[in-house]
Amino acid sequence: MNSVKKRKILLYFFTVAFFTIFYYFLPFAGDDWAWGSNDGIERLNNAFAGYNGRYIGNLLIILISRSVLAKLIICSLVMFLLIYILSRIFDNI
């Protein structure tokens, strides 16, 4: 493995580690508190009737607001993938 590839892998590792630490200390805000409470479960039990139609997003926010591990994994990976995909797009331009 050449040094450029090793540096990229190391950069990817530190990026994921940074976002994991960042999201560990980031507090919930806004309506995240509602989704993590009984309000979120009531919305789930009603199949999000009359709410917003974003079922997968609603399920993810209930999971994220109720599990610290899920919050760390999902948020860190989404941010890493966003940066990774954008860097791949701009490398090809």
Side-chain angles (χ1 to χ4, degrees), residues 20-21 25-26 30 34-35 41-42 55 58 66 78 83 91:
T20 302
I21 293 168
F25 290 107
L26 186 72
W35 282 106
I41 298 303
E42 287 177 22
Y55 299 106
N58 293 338
R66 292 184 164 264
V78 166
I83 291 171
D91 280 346

Side-chain angles (χ1 to χ4, degrees), residues 67-88:
S67 169
V68 174
L69 183 61
K71 174 185 170 185
L72 295 178
I73 292 171
I74 293 169
C75 293
S76 297
L77 287 178
V78 166
M79 288 304 295
F80 170 74
L81 289 173
L82 179 66
I83 291 171
Y84 177 76
I85 291 169
L86 286 173
S87 70
R88 295 292 304 250

Side-chain angles (χ1 to χ4, degrees), residues 38-49 59 62:
N38 288 334
D39 292 342
I41 298 303
E42 287 177 22
R43 293 173 186 159
L44 176 64
N45 290 336
N46 294 329
F48 308 111
L59 291 172
I62 288 173

Side-chain angles (χ1 to χ4, degrees), residues 9-32:
I9 291 172
L10 195 59
L11 179 64
Y12 295 156
F13 173 77
F14 282 117
T15 303
V16 171
F18 168 77
F19 282 118
T20 302
I21 293 168
F22 177 77
Y23 281 110
Y24 181 76
F25 290 107
L26 186 72
F28 289 118
D31 68 343
D32 295 338

